[in-house]
Amino acid sequence: MDARMIGENCACYHIRHAARVITRAYDEALKPVGLRGPQFSILTALKVARNLSISRLAQHMGMDRTTMSRNLRPLERQGLVSVSAEGRGQARTIAITDAGARRHDEAVPRWRRVQDKAMGALGGGDVWPQLRDRLHQLDAAF
């Protein structure tokens, strides 16, 4: 297979490219409320699950623990999440604060505008649920 064929068909390249483009769009939309896309996703996960260990949250979001810790630091500094003190043999637990829940709620309309644009670009209907399911299958394969 020649380089042109690889470039046109490489799943890694095309998925990463799309992820970078859409991440920039979400980041730009959320910037006025002081969040980036991954931070919004973390706050969303914590609103749903309440208290999670750093490891469990990282696993849920497909990150390694170090990357998750790095993403949590600015949220903790802003008072949007709280991190339990690490006890002997205990995992540190992350929880969304009241300020974090308010910031998340403030960001939702901005998120919704980008989400609607993304869904429109995909063609609407059941395209997104099917694509989401295929992405989960891809995750599971590796």
Side-chain angles (χ1 to χ4, degrees):
M1 184 176 269
D2 70 4
R4 180 178 299 253
M5 291 286 291
I6 292 170
E8 290 174 355
N9 294 294
C10 180
C12 181
Y13 168 79
H14 289 285
I15 291 169
R16 287 179 58 90
H17 184 273
R20 283 190 294 271
V21 169
I22 199 161
T23 297
R24 276 194 302 270
Y26 280 88
D27 285 350
E28 191 62 34
L30 297 170
K31 191 176 192 175
V33 295
L35 293 174
R36 293 182 4 263
Q39 294 170 327
F40 179 81
S41 295
I42 289 169
L43 293 177
T44 300
L46 291 172
K47 277 191 86 167
V48 171
R50 296 291 177 205
N51 299 322
L52 290 172
S53 71
I54 293 175
S55 296
R56 180 74 178 114
L57 181 59
Q59 178 186 24
H60 171 72
M61 298 194 68
M63 296 180 191
D64 61 61
R65 193 177 190 286
T66 304
T67 302
M68 178 56 69
S69 294
R70 206 171 31 252
N71 277 279
L72 286 169
R73 278 188 213 111
L75 295 173
E76 186 179 18
R77 277 194 305 270
Q78 294 176 53
L80 305 179
V81 300
S82 63
V83 181
S84 70
E86 193 168 0
R88 185 178 165 106
Q90 294 179 329
R92 292 173 44 183
T93 302
I94 311 303
I96 190 167
T97 64
D98 290 342
R102 285 190 301 274
R103 180 80 61 90
H104 180 272
D105 293 346
E106 182 183 352
V108 168
R110 294 173 175 284
W111 171 86
R112 172 55 64 195
R113 285 192 287 276
V114 179
Q115 182 74 3
D116 289 346
K117 184 175 181 177
M119 295 303 103
L122 289 171
D126 63 351
V127 174
W128 171 242
Q130 290 176 9
L131 178 57
R132 184 190 58 224
D133 291 346
R134 294 291 177 123
L135 291 170
H136 288 304
Q137 290 173 354
L138 187 61
D139 288 347
F142 293 93

